[in-house]
Amino acid sequence: MAEALPTPIAATPAALAPGRVSRRPSNIRRLLRNRQASAGGLLILLMLLAAILAPLLAPWDPLAQQLSRRLEPPGSPIYLLGSDPNGRDILSRLLFGARVSLSVGFLSMLLAGVVGVVLGLVSGYFGGSLDDLIMRLADVQLAFPVILLAITIVSVVGRNVATIVLVLGLTGWVVYARTVRSSVLSLRERDFVLAARCLGAGHHRILLRHILPNTAAPILVVATVQIATMIVLESGLSFFGLGIQPPTPTWGGMLAEGRDYLSNAWWVSTIPGLAIMLTVLGINLLGDGLRDVLDPQLKDY
Amino acid sequence: MGSYLARRLVQSVFTLVGVSLVVFLVLRIIPGDPARLLLPEGASPEEITRLRTKLGLEQALPIQYLIFLRDAVRGDFGRSYQYDEPALGIVLEKVPATAELTVYALLFAILVAVPIGVLAATRRQTVFDYGTMGFAFLGQSMPSFWLGIMLILVLAVGLRLLPTSGRGTWQHLVMPALTLASFQMALIARLVRSSMLEVLREDYVRTARGKGLPARTVVLRHALRNSIIPVVTVIGLQFGTLLGGAVITETVFNWPGVGKLVVDAIYIRDYPIVQAVLVVSGTAFVLINLLIDLSYSYLDPRIRYA
């Protein structure tokens, strides 16, 4: 417990200058030593590699239909993971689908993060009626089931990648804003913020140079878990037929296509679902490990 | 208590106004004519003009919003053109089916997850703890529509134990409730465990043990009761997720509730229904969270609202 209470000197940025003697292993080391986090990280690394190397790894063109070879079960000599109702190779579609799922997940997370962090910083730092307004906005946002709002907006505006990222991003800001706000509330009373203010630093500088870096840990944890949420939401949109336009392969879309073939071709839905689950599992494991290492006080949502 | 209640009520009203504003804006962000959107595709020019006048579309946006708000308070969200009846009535008709599904799912989740969380906390770092928590992790990582499809695949198509879709007997309820419950179950189990671990370190728990109370009493009367508050909070906040889950689950299992209704309405652009569902679900969310906030002082007498 004692090491968790830094001396006042250690808390000032000056004491963190290079050359200090570090007694605790670095965060990266501790993360690597955390079995959960490394397992999760490894899973994500594999998924990322699959997405990046998709053109090299995919045995077939993900869009090429061979109608004479529809619904071949996995393990066939031609299609390792079988083929779908249109006679396309599931493995190749899975690899290319990883690109869509991961990048939509990442971009939406980023957008939600920027909006949420800015609102959380402003809300926590300035307080008052601005804070009230932002927190009420958060309540309003939470009152809508995200998936319902997303399918409504996408159905009205139209389904393209930009809309989908925008909708998912704008519905995800609340978790960031609340997390950042609560850390800012305690940070703004700390001595180093007071010191910066005494030295004549403006709000801008205090927020960006002194407060924001100190909220990095919780933001990172939330961001990690949010990628998983966004991936599931995107696949949900595809499941409702409102995701990215076919024939572009997406995991959710592939899964939805298989629904009508459950009784004779179990693999069409099962395999993309497994891919989603493994990715989300990897991200959640990494996020949990990150939280243990960086910010043990942060609770589950 | 009185002033806290008043403040929470005012907050809730603000949130509801915000909810209505969002619903209003969603149908007006698209370029084009909301009247056209709110009417069936082959509507006559006269019908469009009539609705345009009713919605006040020639007026400024704030005025239009006030008109929308007035109609919403009266429960008037327009007529569903698919059923040719007032939209709100159709939505409310479907509420019991959704309520049945969500209540059973939540009950099921709580009844399974709380004991698991307690046992995992008291048997920390045993096989039981690792096993159940690993399983919970998997449960949280599964998209619920996929779990639903897998259940259909195994229990309905494979083993032929349960009907694939519809509502009626308890057999119809099993898979949808399980699908909807899975995420909450995992979340609650993990939350109860971590909350229990925290409370079990408290002084009063040590005192209770020191007095020689049986372990059972200490865990259930002293620890569980005090670790349940964060769980109740999260259940309230998760209510929105639960409604979203109902939208997905009802679609997978053809469950005739609000979720199925709104998804079908979105597909055929029956926007009066969509508006009504968004407002009704938003209102339900706000009211439930208000009730939960007010229940804290019952759960923990130390909480007194000044």
Side-chain angles (χ1 to χ4, degrees), chain B residues 83-110:
Chain B
Y83 301 93
D84 197 32
E85 275 173 50
L88 185 65
I90 297 168
V91 173
L92 294 180
E93 239 168 67
K94 302 282 184 183
V95 167
T98 300
E100 178 186 288
L101 179 60
T102 40
V103 168
Y104 275 108
L106 197 58
L107 268 180
F108 185 53
I110 293 172

Side-chain angles (χ1 to χ4, degrees), chain A residues 70-85:
Chain A
R70 299 167 67 234
L71 296 178
E72 293 221 359
S76 91
I78 305 165
Y79 303 126
L80 197 60
L81 294 179
S83 64
D84 73 0

Side-chain angles (χ1 to χ4, degrees), chain A residues 155-156 240 273 284 288 301, chain B residues 30 141 146 187 190 267 269 285:
Chain A
S155 85
V156 173
F240 283 111
N284 284 340
D288 237 42
Y301 280 92
Chain B
I30 5 104
S141 304
W146 186 65
L187 182 77
R190 296 184 59 203
Y267 285 144
R269 304 190 155 246
F285 178 86

Side-chain angles (χ1 to χ4, degrees), chain A residues 140 142-145 148 152 155-156 235-236 239-240 255 259 262 269-270 273 276-277 280-281 284 288 299 301, chain B residues 11 15 19 30 137 141-143 145-146 149-150 153 187 190 198 240 244 251-252 262 266-267 269 271 282 285:
Chain A
V140 172
L142 287 176
F144 292 107
L148 188 52
T152 307
S155 85
V156 173
S235 68
F239 173 74
F240 283 111
L255 202 165
R259 266 181 81 194
L262 283 184
S269 276
T270 309
I276 300 173
M277 190 181 79
V280 172
L281 183 69
N284 284 340
D288 237 42
K299 294 265 164 58
Y301 280 92
Chain B
Q11 274 184 8
T15 312
V19 166
I30 5 104
F137 230 110
S141 304
M142 243 182 267
F145 51 87
W146 186 65
I149 291 174
M150 290 301 106
L153 191 62
L187 182 77
R190 296 184 59 203
E198 223 160 89
T251 308
V252 174
V262 71
I266 286 173
Y267 285 144
R269 304 190 155 246
Y271 288 109
F285 178 86

Side-chain angles (χ1 to χ4, degrees), chain B residues 25 38 86 90-91 113 115 165 190 208 236 242 252 259 293:
Chain B
L25 286 175
L38 288 168
I90 297 168
V91 173
S165 63
R190 296 184 59 203
L242 203 62
V252 174
D293 267 14

Side-chain angles (χ1 to χ4, degrees), chain A:
Chain A
M1 202 57 213
E3 64 170 1
L5 296 169
T7 59
I9 294 172
T12 62
L16 297 179
R20 79 190 158 122
V21 183
S22 163
R23 289 209 189 82
R24 281 156 59 120
S26 76
N27 281 335
I28 305 259
R29 275 242 184 99
R30 289 171 60 210
L31 205 59
L32 284 175
R33 225 179 277 164
N34 183 316
R35 250 187 302 169
Q36 255 190 18
S38 347
L42 199 66
L43 260 176
I44 298 167
L45 202 66
L46 285 176
M47 292 294 170
L48 275 176
L49 280 177
I52 294 168
L53 301 177
L56 298 175
L57 294 174
W60 299 93
D61 176 351
L63 302 181
Q65 305 187 359
Q66 216 180 333
L67 292 175
S68 57
R69 296 192 175 279
R70 299 167 67 234
L71 296 178
E72 293 221 359
S76 91
I78 305 165
Y79 303 126
L80 197 60
L81 294 179
S83 64
D84 73 0
N86 292 314
R88 295 173 295 197
D89 178 33
I90 290 184
L91 175 61
S92 306
R93 292 179 65 73
L94 211 56
L95 289 166
F96 278 92
R99 300 185 140 195
V100 180
S101 288
L102 294 178
S103 49
V104 169
F106 184 78
L107 288 174
S108 327
M109 174 280 286
L110 211 61
L111 181 64
V114 171
V115 175
V117 168
V118 170
L119 289 179
L121 278 177
V122 168
S123 189
Y125 185 75
F126 293 106
S129 52
L130 201 58
D131 178 32
D132 275 343
L133 180 70
I134 293 172
M135 286 301 106
R136 289 297 78 71
L137 263 178
D139 288 346
V140 172
Q141 176 70 67
L142 287 176
F144 292 107
V146 175
I147 185 78
L148 188 52
L149 206 56
I151 55 178
T152 307
I153 295 178
V154 173
S155 85
V156 173
V157 181
R159 43 196 286 210
N160 54 61
V161 181
T163 313
I164 290 167
V165 169
L166 206 67
V167 167
L168 295 184
L170 291 182
T171 49
W173 63 276
V174 176
V175 194
Y176 293 95
R178 290 196 160 178
T179 313
V180 171
R181 175 177 177 270
S182 68
S183 10
V184 174
L185 282 180
S186 67
L187 283 170
R188 71 170 182 191
E189 310 297 337
R190 295 269 291 271
D191 289 340
F192 67 90
V193 173
L194 196 69
R197 192 169 299 145
C198 291
L199 288 171
H203 293 314
H204 204 81
R205 188 179 168 87
I206 291 178
L207 272 174
L208 291 184
R209 298 291 297 268
H210 298 278
I211 290 186
L212 185 60
N214 281 295
T215 57
I219 292 175
L220 195 63
V221 174
V222 172
T224 311
V225 180
Q226 278 278 306
I227 299 183
T229 312
M230 294 300 169
I231 289 178
V232 171
L233 276 174
E234 187 273 324
S235 68
L237 275 177
S238 305
F239 173 74
F240 283 111
L242 291 166
I244 285 142
Q245 290 273 11
T248 309
T250 66
W251 289 349
M254 293 168 68
L255 202 165
E257 277 166 12
R259 266 181 81 194
D260 299 331
Y261 299 89
L262 283 184
S263 51
N264 57 344
W266 56 268
W267 57 92
V268 185
S269 276
T270 309
I271 291 172
L274 274 176
I276 300 173
M277 190 181 79
L278 285 177
T279 310
V280 172
L281 183 69
I283 295 172
N284 284 340
L285 285 171
L286 181 66
D288 237 42
L290 266 178
R291 189 186 54 210
D292 290 346
V293 169
L294 294 178
D295 190 15
Q297 258 120 46
L298 202 72
K299 294 265 164 58
D300 283 298
Y301 280 92

